[in-house]
Amino acid sequence: VSEVLISPVAHRIIQKERERFPDIELPLEESMFDKYENYSKRVCKASDYFIAPSEFVMSGLKELNVDSRRCYQIPYAVDESWLETENYPIKGRVLFVGTAGLRKGIHILGQAAENLVSRNYEFRVAGGASSAVQNHPMMSKLSFIGRVPRTQIKNEYTEADIFELPSLAEGSAEVIYEALSVGLPVITTKSAGSIVKDRINGLIVKEGDSEELASSIERLIEDRALRNRISKNAKKIAYEHTWGKYAHNLVNILKKL
């Protein structure tokens, strides 16, 4: 049984983005992709069953011609201690947590922030970021606060108004589970592999569409009734995804194999 942490075709998705924005991240040599794909094929051949955290990863396995009957989907989870954290939002504060690179769509967020400059929203980026990212004109409206210790990151979630992760390829980003557990409305993409349901506990936008992203950010911030309803639903769904429940689901599946 093999657990697939990220879509096996993620490298191809990101390579296309590197070719579009080589001044942010240089494209990788083609030989590296051949090596990775050969490894993925060996894993697929050697494995009887696969466990994936999201539909996005499942679709990636399908592209490698893996029979769906051999695949089981179990979303990731959050530590129960996060559920004790409450959200006291500062209106207009948008939070991004993670390594700020092309794969996680930091450039898309940068463009969206530029589109919303007249609104004077605050865009906080917590996580590692290269100098190429931080100094790129596309990111001029983002506030890079660097890596935040785990002991302090909850404060960022607590004071944020909405959480944003416009990823192009993930497995199932843990930061989204954290945001939901705090009751923070999330705007993300299908490629983030999250448990976000569109217009229920967050908003789903098209990958790479900065205009739709900007519109969704503005909508959630300015429509407080919508924002608060989604916030309550976010907290509710997080209770269904603790690590204890993940373990229970995993054991049940393994017993069936």
Side-chain angles (χ1 to χ4, degrees), residues 11-222:
H11 58 294
R12 289 294 179 186
I13 295 172
I14 306 311
Q15 181 73 344
K16 291 180 180 178
E17 210 66 8
R18 286 177 173 140
E19 290 171 352
R20 290 180 61 208
F21 301 100
D23 53 341
I24 297 178
E25 293 179 24
L26 290 173
L28 299 178
E29 294 182 5
E30 192 66 23
S31 60
M32 296 186 65
F33 295 105
D34 293 337
K35 183 177 180 180
Y36 178 80
E37 289 179 355
N38 288 333
Y39 170 78
S40 296
K41 290 177 181 177
R42 291 200 304 272
V43 170
C44 290
K45 186 176 181 180
S47 303
D48 295 309
Y49 299 99
F50 300 86
I51 293 175
S54 66
E55 185 61 38
F56 182 66
V57 176
M58 296 276 278
S59 65
L61 286 169
K62 186 177 181 179
E63 288 191 42
L64 295 184
N65 297 316
V66 173
D67 190 333
S68 60
R69 291 172 295 183
R70 298 166 59 201
C71 302
Y72 294 86
Q73 183 177 336
I74 311 178
Y76 288 143
V78 69
D79 189 275
E80 290 186 5
S81 63
W82 277 84
L83 296 169
E84 301 170 2
T85 307
E86 297 295 333
N87 180 230
Y88 301 100
I90 297 174
K91 184 180 179 182
R93 176 174 288 188
V94 181
L95 177 65
F96 172 106
V97 177
T99 301
L102 293 180
R103 181 169 70 82
K104 293 186 180 291
I106 190 63
H107 55 310
I108 309 303
L109 181 60
Q111 291 173 313
E114 181 67 34
N115 291 342
L116 293 169
V117 65
S118 63
R119 283 293 191 177
N120 292 317
Y121 297 151
E122 179 185 13
F123 292 83
R124 292 173 68 82
V125 177
S130 67
S131 58
V133 168
Q134 294 187 54
N135 297 321
H136 198 281
M138 196 182 297
M139 319 294 179
S140 63
K141 305 306 177 185
L142 304 181
S143 176
F144 293 91
I145 61 176
R147 297 184 184 275
V148 179
R150 297 297 296 173
T151 54
Q152 300 175 23
I153 193 63
K154 286 184 180 180
N155 294 335
E156 291 295 329
Y157 287 100
T158 296
E159 296 180 348
D161 200 9
I162 60 174
F163 185 86
E164 176 51 54
L165 191 70
S167 288
L168 301 180
E170 295 278 355
S172 186
E174 184 179 356
V175 292
I176 290 182
Y177 294 89
E178 294 172 349
L180 294 172
S181 70
V182 177
L184 193 52
V186 173
I187 303 177
T188 189
T189 63
K190 288 183 178 180
S191 298
S194 73
I195 55 172
V196 171
K197 299 181 185 300
D198 190 37
R199 293 177 290 181
I200 295 177
N201 61 342
L203 297 178
I204 301 293
V205 298
K206 183 179 179 181
E207 293 82 354
D209 192 332
S210 61
E211 292 186 4
E212 183 182 1
L213 177 58
S215 176
S216 296
I217 290 172
E218 185 176 30
R219 179 185 176 193
L220 266 190
I221 291 177
E222 299 305 324

